[in-house]
Amino acid sequence: MRKKILAVTAMAAVAVLGLSACSGTSEDATAEGDGQLQIDVPDIPMLEELGENEGEVNIIAWSGFVEPAWSDEFTKLTGCTVNRRVAGTSDEMVQLMRTGDYDLVSASGDASLRLIAGGDVQPLNLELIPNFGDDIVEGMKGQIYDTINGKSYGIPIGRGANILQYDSEVVTEEPTSWDIAWEADSPYAGKITAYDAPIYIADAAVYLMAHEPDLGITNPYALDEKQLDAAIDLLKQQNEIVSEYWSDPAAQITSFAGGTTVAGTSWEVLRKLTGDEKFKSVLPEEGSTGWSDAWMLAAEAKNPNCAYAWMDYASSPEVNGAIAMNFGMAPANAAFCDTSDEAKAHCEYYNATNEEYFKKVWFWTTPIEQCIDGRTDVTCTNFQQWTDAWLTVKG
């Protein structure tokens, strides 16, 4: 396993910039079935057919997504040399894509809409990517964070949920709700861990959706000002029982192992890395937030043919599965799960083909002024507003 701590740190990073007005107005935005979003975005043509490979492809990726063994094999197969740039945050990825020096990026949902609305990536011709077929799990197709106006801008790589981890020697009954991590009277007050980033506001919104339905929240990334205020109030309440906020996975693992923390937000890969069977996890009844990554192609990619070749190659069961195992997530290509006993065990651990599980997960999506829940009578808050609000939580 590669430097997983570094990679999951990269995975955790979120952006601090909101979308610009080129996304359209609130009257332009509607949410449709299957997670599709209808908003005004730059009209960038899709590649209609492939030509000769250019000889190289320049990729921005999270650590662990583009490894030498895969790159070397890809070069032998296609003649395309892979030039990799590892990025540490979604912000960095967006900024690098806007330089025009890169063809592909492994974007997370907190960056995808910015890249699409900014005209930085182009829609993808799925017919040119044979490995994007029936074996790609349905729950990663046509999602709101990378499918706009019926056009696909992302080729899925993998996904994961933000789960409730707990020390079963202290929390002796399996939790069914997030209430032990949110309510002021939690029996574990003072030993709760929480994620340290503005996107964590969505976790509060998920809890409010279940416990304060009168707020009318139907999507945790589509919050008007009143709903955002309610989420911030809940976060401030939680602040009173939090022992530690984490953004560095290594610190989170140490906190659990040392007993400073006994319950709170985590990832399945972190539970595994903690290395003790007493640490368990659950996806509570309210559901949770989560993350999903996808390959996205630069609007003016200099090497589009090699880029398409990479997206197809990296979507094969073997390579997509290797990325997922390297990173610690559910693969996008379900066929990987049948390639070996090790692959099967990995897929079972990360719920790779369990769509009922992931139906309860709200994947990170950049908040924008256009309400992605379909409302047109209000303006929703953007990520800059979330960032400003988050600063008030911890005092």
Side-chain angles (χ1 to χ4, degrees), residues 145-165:
Y145 45 79
D146 62 14
T147 303
I148 302 296
N149 304 335
K151 297 179 180 179
S152 178
Y153 289 80
I155 298 301
I157 306 168
R159 59 182 173 175
N162 298 321
I163 46 84
L164 174 59
Q165 180 172 312

Side-chain angles (χ1 to χ4, degrees), residues 4-61:
K4 186 158 293 183
I5 296 301
L6 177 60
V8 292
T9 303
M11 187 66 224
V14 294
V16 295
L17 299 176
L19 285 173
S20 63
C22 63
S23 300
T25 64
S26 60
E27 287 75 19
D28 298 318
T30 59
E32 296 193 345
D34 300 324
Q36 292 189 16
L37 182 65
Q38 300 289 320
I39 59 175
D40 287 342
V41 297
D43 186 15
I44 298 172
M46 177 180 71
L47 190 66
E48 295 296 335
E49 61 182 15
L50 294 174
E52 294 185 7
N53 288 339
E54 299 87 358
E56 67 175 354
V57 60
N58 301 300
I59 305 176
I60 306 166

Side-chain angles (χ1 to χ4, degrees), residues 184-376:
D185 61 354
S186 169
Y188 312 107
K191 290 197 171 185
I192 300 297
T193 186
Y195 189 51
D196 190 2
I199 202 70
Y200 185 62
I201 292 171
D203 292 65
V206 168
Y207 189 75
L208 291 172
M209 286 170 66
H211 295 275
E212 294 190 31
D214 290 346
L215 285 169
I217 301 173
T218 60
N219 184 308
Y221 305 101
L223 305 181
D224 59 34
E225 289 190 9
K226 178 181 178 181
Q227 293 165 340
L228 177 61
D229 288 344
I232 294 302
D233 286 343
L234 178 60
L235 285 158
K236 289 179 177 178
Q237 173 181 291
Q238 186 193 46
N239 175 259
E240 298 298 320
I241 65 171
V242 166
S243 59
E244 187 172 50
Y245 289 92
W246 68 277
S247 57
D248 177 2
Q252 196 254 23
I253 292 170
T254 299
S255 180
F256 266 101
T260 303
T261 292
V262 300
T265 304
S266 186
W267 301 320
E268 293 289 10
V269 64
L270 300 186
R271 179 168 72 88
K272 178 177 284 190
L273 291 173
T274 304
D276 192 322
E277 291 186 0
K278 73 175 183 177
F279 297 111
K280 301 185 183 302
S281 65
V282 64
L283 181 63
E285 59 193 9
E286 296 92 350
S288 76
T289 60
W291 43 265
S292 180
D293 291 326
W295 300 113
M296 305 188 84
L297 178 62
E300 298 182 4
K302 297 181 177 67
N303 306 291
N305 295 290
C306 281
Y308 264 90
W310 173 266
M311 287 188 286
D312 187 52
Y313 168 79
S315 298
S316 67
E318 297 78 12
V319 179
N320 178 250
I323 295 171
M325 290 190 72
N326 204 31
F327 194 82
M329 62 182 174
N333 194 322
F336 164 72
C337 301
D338 297 323
T339 59
S340 70
D341 289 343
E342 184 182 20
K344 182 179 180 180
H346 177 89
C347 289
E348 288 178 353
Y349 183 85
Y350 290 99
N351 295 285
T353 59
N354 187 348
E355 291 304 327
E356 289 303 312
Y357 178 89
F358 280 109
K359 281 180 181 177
K360 299 187 243 179
V361 177
W362 295 86
F363 293 104
W364 285 349
T365 304
T366 310
I368 58 176
E369 288 88 349
Q370 295 72 43
C371 294
I372 60 176
D373 59 4
R375 287 180 293 169
T376 59

